[in-house]
Amino acid sequence: MNNKSKFVSFVSPVLGNVLKVERNDKVIVNLSIAFCSSEIRIVRSEIWTNCAIPTADSWIAIEIPETNNPQIIASKDEAFDLKSFSLEFYPQRSGSLTYRVIVLDESTDEERQIWLGNLDDDVMIVLYEDCDSGTLSNEVECGWLSKVVGVESDLEELFRVVIDEQWPPDLNSGRKGRYRIGKFDLDSESDFNPVYSLSLRSLNRYISFERSKIWWIEPRTGSRRINKTEVDIQMFVWQQFSGDFCLLLAVPPVRLSYKNEYTLEIHCDKTLNGDNEPRHFYVATSSGTDVFQFVSVVFEEVRRYFGCAPLNNYVPTTEKSNSFIPSRIWDHLGWCTWNSYYKNVNESAIVSYIKNLQNLNIPFEFVLIDDGWQDYNDRLELKSFEMNTVKFPSNFKIISEIKRAGVKFVGVWHTLIGCWGGIDPSGQIALEYKLVEVTKRDGTKIHLVDSCDVDRFYEEFVTLLLNAAVDFVKVDHQAVFDEIVDADSERLWKSYQRALIQSTASKLPVIWSMSHSPKLLFNTFINSKTLESSEFQHALRTSDDFFPDVDDSHGWHVYANSISAMFSTLLINPRQHPSSPNFSTSLPHVVADWDMFQSKHKFAKFHAISRAISGAAVYLSDKPNEHDRILLTQMVVGSSINGGSRTPRCQQPAFPTNECAFFDFNKEVRLFKEQNRAMDNVIGVVGLFNCRRNGEEKFSGSVLDAVQASDVQGLKGEYKEFVAFFYELKEFRRVRRNERVLVFLNAGRCELVTFSPLIEVHDCPFKYAIFGLYDKINGAVVLIDSSVTLRGTDNLTITISLWAHGKFVLYVDKILATIKIAATVKHSIDSYSEPHVELVCDKNLVFIDLRDDSIEKVGLALVDVVVKW
């Protein structure tokens, strides 16, 4: 066992990041170490830096003094010692620093030095004046651009058409960050497919969005050099040593690929049908410090290029995005049949499964009948629109039977071309619609409904589903036309997408799956006025499947879905990120879909917490009779037998914090952080996930990291103090906005932290913070609004509105023995009687229970909490 595996550390500034400062700015270095004192002793800690003195390249060691322990939230199942160190210094030049710890091995009495991080993980410290003066370039440093025919040009050629230049305020530094966006048009008239090479210099870290499979675009990160793979890239974002960001975005039919570890290639493919479509890519630079703000600005410009409708046609809502609104399908807990039965799904299995859920009083309110219900042959070719009557003898009457059992919404699965193998040329569909034979890349020939008949095909199929009371569809395998090599494939693809959108947009919500074809994303999603004006919220799958039996996939699944928001979510609506200059809290017309998961699974809590704050639908695929009822009750509010239920999920999409943008958290010894907001953006929520694999040695998979209220972007108000509620530990901590709280998590563990502002009222002797439902994952989401009224000199009334009746909590910063508190329901818009109110005070906490006979309900409640002192 090496010494490094005997402890874990947290450092700030974070290794691998770039810190931009003014010359007179103070840099605060923090280092905390969790270790076993019986095995090692921490002798001292140091930073090694070349920016503490003016002389160039003079590296010196500076010892970091030990401090008293900061606030620490420790893991319940791990005992350890903790030492913390802190140092302040003023950088004299741009440079870098790293960390070194000297330890004494108690078993050998040997003193050793341990460098934290990897070889290329130094913290880059950059003085703004060096950027402004040109000492460090604040323009893109990409080298030269050359065409295969040998013509070379300076990269400034990329900016010969600067289509936009902005100076929005940088939320992190307060300075104005320069955003420069250029659209580079490529030769669309040539008879060959030209290839351009772009060499990269000053490459600190990067994230690329790559087409790992023909139907999925996935993130990949690296530092200092490109890790070459044989895949196409849709977007490449990198950070230079100066801290500035650069971006390359390929618009179909242009694509990017890797040439070597310092060079990208830009391919100008001609479309298969020979059309001379515009071929271009975007290049952009930013001198700001918020990479998500940068990407959102670029995508705003891309949408303008496509002539998209203004981003204001969303699902109808009230003024506040988190208000009690008419529920949509994705607001409920759902069940998908796939991991429960796979293709063996049948009528009797579904009926039995739903009865079992009812007996357990688990309120699943939408059901998705996945692959396995259709009438197809052994070659997976669709024969007819009907269900497989051997497995479903009632045919589509099963939909009504499911609804009579108490399920509100039922959806069915199909692929874009009907089924995986297309259409059976000897089946019923072939008698009614014209077919065409096409060839896939592997030489396989399949039959499809021809473009002249596909509108009617979809219209009649969707009409049949609507008549059967189907409420939504999951459309899989949507990138299939990228596998087809026929010259007519482009015309076919456009016909199928048009038919799908026109037949469903105003009739059925769609889960778009296996749909990461670049031409689909750029043309269907950001250039479809039909989708944006739809009254439904549609869903876009943002990653590969949930694989219950692959342990290594679960950390990746959470990380990949969350980080993919930088590409897919912002491409569809760049105003959804809170740092966007045009940030909008309107509900999105397309939500993310993270796929299902299982409640009785070793990573169930990992998935449950991530889904709750993701903004995505929450649905499961438990095996028959294998449910974790305790976890399920934490994920949903209400009951299917008492007027309905809802999941307390965020209504806006979640995003990683900025410091997570360029790192792969399956490898990093850090916690992945996913952030969102509640109660009209007043309350912040942060999910913390240890995505690492567990090793055999102690601490080998453990992580020590920190969380703070300022990790959440887009919070309203200038509150200086917050109360942090740690859901898993059920602990409350009073913290300042930028105060870090240390968190220790073992591999595969997670935590959900809710930051509620500590509200101060003039002439009132105490401060208070409001939290949502205490025993629900992401319970703050049920809060709609709050207000306070001071009555005289010795009492006030806090009015809280919620969309659920349950047990919620109020934090008061004074010992409650000196304060008298009473709570009543002032008004309740509900189909039931007003809820009974029970109040319990415990030190600084006030628990207010609105449940009647311990029964939760979904419905508007307005509660007055009267406080006297």
Side-chain angles (χ1 to χ4, degrees):
M1 182 187 296
N2 61 57
N3 290 104
K4 196 169 182 179
S5 66
K6 295 181 181 180
F7 72 84
V8 289
S9 60
F10 161 76
V11 296
S12 174
V14 175
L15 286 164
N17 275 343
V18 176
L19 180 65
K20 286 186 172 183
V21 297
E22 302 288 357
R23 179 175 292 276
N24 294 322
D25 282 351
K26 176 173 58 179
V27 173
I28 302 176
V29 175
N30 291 297
L31 168 63
S32 294
I33 302 174
F35 65 101
C36 293
S37 59
S38 62
E39 298 181 10
I40 63 171
R41 181 161 57 89
I42 308 299
V43 178
R44 67 180 183 277
S45 66
E46 304 169 336
I47 62 166
W48 278 76
T49 180
N50 63 351
C51 58
I53 57 178
T55 308
D57 297 325
S58 296
W59 285 82
I60 61 171
I62 304 175
E63 184 172 352
I64 313 176
E66 186 174 352
T67 65
N68 294 328
N69 287 351
Q71 290 182 327
I72 175 72
I73 302 295
S75 170
K76 288 183 178 179
D77 52 6
E78 195 77 63
F80 54 82
D81 299 280
L82 180 74
K83 279 185 178 289
S84 294
F85 307 84
S86 185
L87 169 72
E88 299 177 356
F89 78 101
Y90 295 86
Q92 300 299 304
R93 59 185 294 271
S94 296
S96 58
L97 69 81
T98 190
Y99 302 88
R100 186 174 73 166
V101 177
I102 311 300
V103 303
L104 179 69
D105 192 320
E106 297 288 5
S107 62
T108 63
D109 202 31
E110 181 181 357
E111 190 173 287
R112 297 180 181 178
Q113 60 179 16
I114 299 174
W115 296 93
L116 304 184
N118 299 315
L119 183 62
D120 294 334
D121 278 348
D122 289 1
V123 180
M124 308 298 297
I125 296 181
V126 176
L127 300 186
Y128 277 109
E129 64 187 59
D130 289 340
C131 291
D132 297 340
S133 66
T135 305
L136 290 172
S137 173
N138 59 3
E139 293 293 343
V140 62
E141 293 185 39
C142 291
W144 45 265
L145 183 74
S146 64
K147 200 173 180 180
V148 289
V149 294
V151 178
E152 294 188 6
S153 61
D154 189 86
L155 191 66
E156 275 300 309
E157 287 292 302
L158 295 177
F159 287 112
R160 58 186 173 188
V161 181
V162 176
I163 56 177
D164 195 21
E165 189 164 4
Q166 300 183 26
W167 297 80
D170 183 77
L171 299 181
N172 295 321
S173 67
R175 295 167 60 105
K176 287 192 174 182
R178 182 185 186 188
Y179 294 84
R180 196 177 185 204
I181 306 170
K183 182 168 69 70
F184 189 69
D185 294 308
L186 304 171
D187 185 7
S188 61
E189 302 295 332
S190 61
D191 295 330
F192 67 100
N193 297 341
V195 179
Y196 294 78
S197 293
L198 186 66
S199 62
L200 306 179
R201 296 195 300 267
S202 188
L203 176 64
N204 182 40
R205 305 200 73 91
Y206 71 87
I207 181 169
S208 61
F209 292 88
E210 305 175 354
R211 208 166 181 194
S212 59
K213 299 175 184 176
I214 199 164
W215 41 79
W216 299 123
I217 290 176
E218 294 185 336
R220 194 161 65 91
T221 61
S223 62
R224 305 300 168 94
R225 61 190 63 81
I226 299 170
N227 301 315
K228 185 176 181 294
T229 58
E230 301 299 327
V231 296
D232 288 345
I233 313 161
Q234 207 58 44
M235 184 170 77
F236 190 86
V237 185
W238 73 102
Q239 184 184 48
Q240 302 184 140
F241 293 129
S242 64
D244 296 347
F245 301 118
C246 308
L247 177 149
L248 285 175
L249 175 68
V251 178
V254 174
R255 58 186 175 86
L256 308 173
S257 68
Y258 299 115
K259 182 177 182 180
N260 55 48
E261 59 185 13
Y262 295 107
T263 308
L264 296 177
E265 289 187 331
I266 305 168
H267 301 260
C268 313
D269 294 344
K270 296 186 74 68
T271 55
L272 291 175
N273 61 0
D275 291 344
N276 284 323
E277 295 185 0
R279 293 185 287 180
H280 63 269
F281 65 90
Y282 288 87
V283 61
T285 61
S286 163
S287 62
T289 61
D290 190 321
V291 66
F292 288 95
Q293 184 185 63
F294 172 46
V295 175
S296 70
V297 169
V298 174
F299 279 146
E300 282 265 21
E301 184 54 50
V302 172
R303 289 184 60 87
R304 277 195 287 271
Y305 167 78
F306 276 94
C308 298
L311 284 161
N312 55 7
N313 297 321
Y314 295 105
V315 177
T317 182
T318 54
E319 288 186 7
K320 298 182 185 298
S321 62
N322 291 305
S323 297
F324 182 66
I325 57 178
S327 63
R328 300 167 298 274
I329 294 174
W330 318 130
D331 288 330
H332 303 283
L333 188 64
W335 169 53
C336 175
T337 63
W338 180 245
N339 291 123
S340 303
Y341 297 107
Y342 295 102
K343 289 189 178 182
N344 297 319
V345 63
N346 60 75
E347 183 173 317
S348 62
I350 291 176
V351 172
S352 174
Y353 196 101
I354 292 174
K355 287 181 179 179
N356 182 46
L357 295 178
Q358 287 182 326
N359 292 335
L360 294 172
N361 194 23
I362 299 175
F364 286 81
E365 297 207 31
F366 75 80
V367 169
L368 171 58
I369 305 176
D370 213 298
D371 189 6
W373 68 269
Q374 290 178 303
D375 179 22
Y376 51 68
N377 61 26
D378 293 340
R379 297 183 301 277
L380 304 181
E381 296 172 327
L382 191 63
K383 296 192 293 185
S384 73
F385 287 155
E386 304 300 321
M387 302 188 88
N388 182 326
T389 53
V390 174
K391 299 163 69 174
F392 292 86
S394 299
N395 207 340
F396 280 109
K397 292 180 180 178
I398 182 62
I399 307 298
S400 298
E401 185 175 352
I402 292 173
K403 291 188 175 183
R404 282 195 296 272
V407 175
K408 286 185 177 179
F409 308 101
V410 181
V412 296
W413 170 99
H414 64 87
T415 75
L416 181 64
I417 57 175
C419 196
W420 299 106
I423 305 299
D424 183 351
S426 60
Q428 182 65 32
I429 291 176
L431 298 176
E432 301 181 15
Y433 304 93
K434 181 182 177 181
L435 302 188
V436 60
E437 185 181 72
V438 297
T439 305
K440 299 172 70 174
R441 289 181 181 178
D442 61 3
T444 304
K445 295 185 181 296
I446 60 174
H447 292 85
L448 308 179
V449 174
D450 200 359
S451 56
C452 63
D453 248 0
V454 72
D455 286 334
R456 184 169 63 90
F457 169 81
Y458 258 99
E459 192 62 40
E460 293 178 356
F461 179 48
V462 169
T463 299
L464 182 149
L465 297 180
L466 289 171
N467 290 337
V470 171
D471 299 288
F472 66 99
V473 290
K474 174 184 175 181
V475 185
D476 228 333
H477 206 205
Q478 295 211 44
V480 60
F481 285 97
D482 289 358
E483 295 182 293
I484 296 173
V485 296
D486 295 59
D488 204 30
S489 66
E490 195 79 9
R491 180 173 59 87
L492 279 169
W493 171 77
K494 291 178 179 178
S495 299
Y496 271 79
Q497 284 298 320
R498 182 188 65 247
L500 171 62
I501 293 174
Q502 290 181 352
S503 64
T504 60
S506 62
K507 300 173 184 177
L508 291 171
V510 177
I511 299 176
W512 301 72
S513 183
M514 298 178 71
S515 55
H516 290 187
S517 166
K519 60 186 178 184
L520 189 153
L521 291 171
F522 279 87
N523 291 284
T524 299
F525 280 99
I526 71 169
N527 197 26
S528 173
K529 297 177 176 62
T530 305
L531 274 182
E532 292 190 2
S533 60
S534 172
E535 64 180 281
F536 298 111
Q537 268 192 327
H538 301 278
L540 172 67
R541 270 283 295 279
T542 49
S543 81
D544 207 339
D545 293 0
F546 164 77
F547 297 110
D549 301 324
V550 183
D551 282 359
D552 289 350
S553 70
H554 300 286
W556 169 258
H557 191 90
V558 170
Y559 162 74
N561 273 285
S562 184
I563 201 73
S564 290
M566 181 188 288
F567 177 69
S568 58
T569 301
L570 292 182
L571 177 68
I572 295 171
N573 184 354
R575 298 181 182 180
Q576 290 184 102
H577 194 273
S579 67
S580 166
N582 299 308
F583 176 50
S584 170
T585 58
S586 298
L587 291 175
H589 62 280
V590 178
V591 301
D593 174 43
W594 286 32
D595 205 15
M596 72 287 276
F597 66 100
Q598 294 176 337
S599 68
K600 201 166 187 177
H601 191 279
K602 63 190 296 185
F603 290 97
K605 186 64 73 70
F606 211 77
H607 288 283
I609 287 179
S610 65
R611 300 298 196 284
I613 63 177
S614 69
V618 181
Y619 60 110
L620 295 99
S621 194
D622 288 353
K623 294 179 181 179
N625 301 310
E626 294 189 21
H627 312 290
D628 185 336
R629 192 176 182 281
I630 294 176
L631 177 61
L632 289 171
T633 58
Q634 296 173 10
M635 295 166 53
V636 65
V637 181
S639 170
S640 56
I641 62 174
N642 282 283
S645 62
R646 285 181 63 181
T647 54
R649 70 176 184 94
C650 292
Q651 296 294 317
Q652 297 293 327
F655 289 91
T657 59
N658 259 288
E659 65 182 27
C660 293
F662 294 101
F663 298 88
D664 180 352
F665 283 82
N666 290 268
K667 302 173 183 177
E668 290 292 316
V669 191
R670 292 166 54 202
L671 298 178
F672 182 66
K673 301 177 186 177
E674 183 187 10
Q675 50 143 336
N676 213 323
R677 299 157 310 284
M679 204 176 80
D680 196 29
N681 301 318
V682 173
I683 294 176
V685 290
V686 181
L688 304 171
F689 306 93
N690 184 348
C691 300
R692 302 182 71 218
R693 295 179 58 189
N694 200 1
E696 296 180 358
E697 297 180 340
K698 191 176 184 67
F699 292 153
S700 59
S702 304
V703 171
L704 181 68
D705 209 325
V707 65
Q708 55 193 346
S710 57
D711 283 333
V712 184
Q713 293 179 281
L715 288 179
K716 285 186 177 178
E718 299 297 326
Y719 298 104
K720 296 179 180 180
E721 283 191 293
F722 289 79
V723 177
F725 170 49
F726 291 78
Y727 178 79
E728 286 290 272
L729 291 170
K730 293 292 186 286
E731 292 187 9
F732 292 81
R733 296 293 178 116
R734 181 174 174 174
V735 294
R736 297 180 299 277
R737 176 181 283 269
N738 293 312
E739 182 179 357
R740 294 186 179 92
V741 182
L742 292 179
V743 180
F744 179 94
L745 292 177
N746 285 325
R749 297 300 182 93
C750 57
E751 180 59 273
L752 177 62
V753 189
T754 302
F755 289 99
S756 183
L758 200 56
I759 298 172
E760 183 176 4
V761 181
H762 184 64
D763 289 335
C764 176
F766 67 91
K767 302 175 185 177
Y768 69 93
I770 300 170
F771 291 88
L773 299 186
Y774 178 74
D775 51 0
K776 300 297 179 182
I777 296 175
N778 205 26
V781 170
V782 307
L783 296 169
I784 299 173
D785 202 354
S786 72
S787 61
V788 61
T789 304
L790 191 63
R791 302 183 185 280
T793 59
D794 63 349
N795 74 92
L796 59 76
T797 300
I798 304 170
T799 302
I800 305 168
S801 56
L802 314 88
W803 57 253
H805 302 176
K807 180 182 178 181
F808 71 98
V809 63
L810 183 74
Y811 176 96
V812 183
D813 74 339
K814 299 292 185 182
I815 301 300
L816 295 180
T818 63
I819 301 175
K820 297 178 181 180
I821 296 181
T824 59
V825 176
K826 178 181 178 182
H827 183 56
S828 178
I829 301 174
D830 200 327
S831 57
Y832 316 102
S833 60
E834 290 191 357
H836 174 68
V837 178
E838 291 186 3
L839 186 145
V840 177
C841 297
D842 181 11
K843 297 182 181 178
N844 293 88
L845 302 178
V846 181
F847 294 96
I848 303 170
D849 199 335
L850 303 180
R851 296 174 293 188
D852 288 326
D853 299 323
S854 298
I855 297 176
E856 299 169 346
K857 296 176 183 177
V858 172
L860 185 64
L862 204 60
V863 182
D864 276 350
V865 181
V866 180
V867 185
K868 296 183 179 180
W869 58 89

